[in-house]
Amino acid sequence: DVTKDWADEISKHNTVNISIVDKGPFNWEQEKDLGKQGNSGWSNIDTDPNYIIYYKNDALHLNVQNARRVQQIANEAIAEIEDLMGRYPYPSSFNGRKLPIYLASTAEEYSKTIDELAGKTCNSAGSIGMFVSHVGPLGFLADGIVLSPKCFNYELHPDTWAERVLRHELNHFVFFSQLDYGKIQRHPLWVSEGLADYASLMHREQIASADSIDYIANNCELFEQFPTEIQAQYWAGRSFYKFMEEEKGGIAVRTFIQDLYS
């Protein structure tokens, strides 16, 4: 019950939706994916060994271009994430199931896709990426990552925005799929959100902001939630990991992360 309450709370506030269920079996088969059901209208790139990318066709073929870019980013991120997290959950770990990534064409489709994957109405307002998953007696099922069309609106965001959002969600996939759900899980939100933000920027210069570190020292308890009303779980959490890297080295960060699994 503690872990279920924690998962429900996590799902209310961030870019992850975890459903802990007491039944099975899961539909591991890729043919059961939402993107392959009936007249859903989803096209897909299914030639990749690790991912299947779902998108909607459009007259200018922009969506398929975005899908190919997402495929490239996701594969380029694997080695870096694997090094940081200590492992990467390849399809062989999940009955051959590839990670589905959905590129929604509209804001409405983004919310609807998340709800359909989760099997319930979710709070996706304000988010531009979501990782959806189920946990049950038969293990961990990654339903998929859903990306908002805002990721590819370069008038609103830089052209690196889609890469940052995708790397953030991929980190959630790796982190939450490796947790030992046979044990009580209740780490604060900043642990996973700060980590995903830190991981999404690893290939770029970043520093632990002095202001952020002062804020953490004066306003936060590491075993408690960081203030969510100012999104501290993201920027302050990210600074925590970067500060650890600067003070103790990358090995310390990796050890800390891998200890969290159990």
Side-chain angles (χ1 to χ4, degrees), residues 4-43:
K4 186 177 186 302
D5 290 344
W6 161 82
D8 290 342
E9 191 64 24
I10 285 272
S11 299
K12 288 179 185 176
H13 293 289
N14 66 349
T15 57
V16 174
N17 194 283
I18 307 173
S19 298
I20 296 182
V21 298
D22 57 3
K23 58 185 178 180
F26 288 146
N27 287 318
W28 299 95
E29 298 88 353
Q30 218 77 57
E31 293 304 315
K32 299 290 186 179
D33 282 356
L34 173 66
K36 291 193 175 181
Q37 298 309 298
N39 298 317
S40 64
W42 293 99
S43 298

Side-chain angles (χ1 to χ4, degrees), residues 169-188:
E169 299 308 324
L170 284 171
N171 183 268
H172 282 328
F173 162 59
V174 177
F175 180 73
F176 286 102
S177 67
Q178 302 305 307
L179 293 181
D180 182 354
Y181 291 95
K183 298 181 179 180
I184 291 176
Q185 297 292 343
R186 56 184 174 192
H187 62 260

Side-chain angles (χ1 to χ4, degrees), residues 47-202:
T47 55
D48 192 278
N50 299 305
Y51 307 103
I52 178 167
I53 319 295
Y54 293 103
Y55 64 96
K56 297 289 179 75
N57 283 314
D58 62 305
L60 297 177
H61 304 292
L62 296 177
N63 291 344
V64 69
Q65 292 178 38
N66 290 336
R68 288 171 179 152
R69 182 170 177 232
V70 162
Q71 179 187 20
Q72 179 183 0
I73 293 169
N75 277 289
E76 288 176 349
I78 287 178
E80 196 171 87
I81 293 176
E82 190 170 32
D83 180 60
L84 174 66
M85 308 300 285
R87 63 196 80 171
Y88 187 88
Y90 293 97
S92 57
S93 301
F94 294 107
N95 295 343
R97 178 174 173 80
K98 302 177 186 180
L99 175 65
I101 303 177
Y102 292 84
L103 277 58
S105 299
T106 65
E108 293 75 19
E109 185 175 79
Y110 173 70
S111 298
K112 180 182 178 184
T113 303
I114 291 170
D115 291 350
E116 290 181 342
L117 288 176
K120 59 186 178 183
T121 301
C122 304
N123 178 21
S124 55
S127 70
I128 55 176
M130 184 76 68
F131 171 60
V132 182
S133 60
H134 283 77
V135 182
L138 296 182
F140 185 94
L141 176 70
D143 297 282
I145 289 172
V146 188
L147 298 181
S148 164
K150 291 180 181 178
C151 292
F152 306 97
N153 186 334
Y154 303 128
E155 293 180 0
L156 291 177
H157 301 293
D159 60 5
T160 54
W161 191 245
E163 180 179 1
R164 179 174 176 182
V165 174
L166 180 57
R167 282 173 171 263
H168 183 108
E169 299 308 324
L170 284 171
N171 183 268
H172 282 328
F173 162 59
V174 177
F175 180 73
F176 286 102
S177 67
Q178 302 305 307
L179 293 181
D180 182 354
Y181 291 95
K183 298 181 179 180
I184 291 176
Q185 297 292 343
R186 56 184 174 192
H187 62 260
L189 191 57
W190 69 264
V191 171
S192 54
E193 285 299 347
L195 172 58
D197 245 22
Y198 168 75
S200 73
L201 290 168
M202 277 194 67

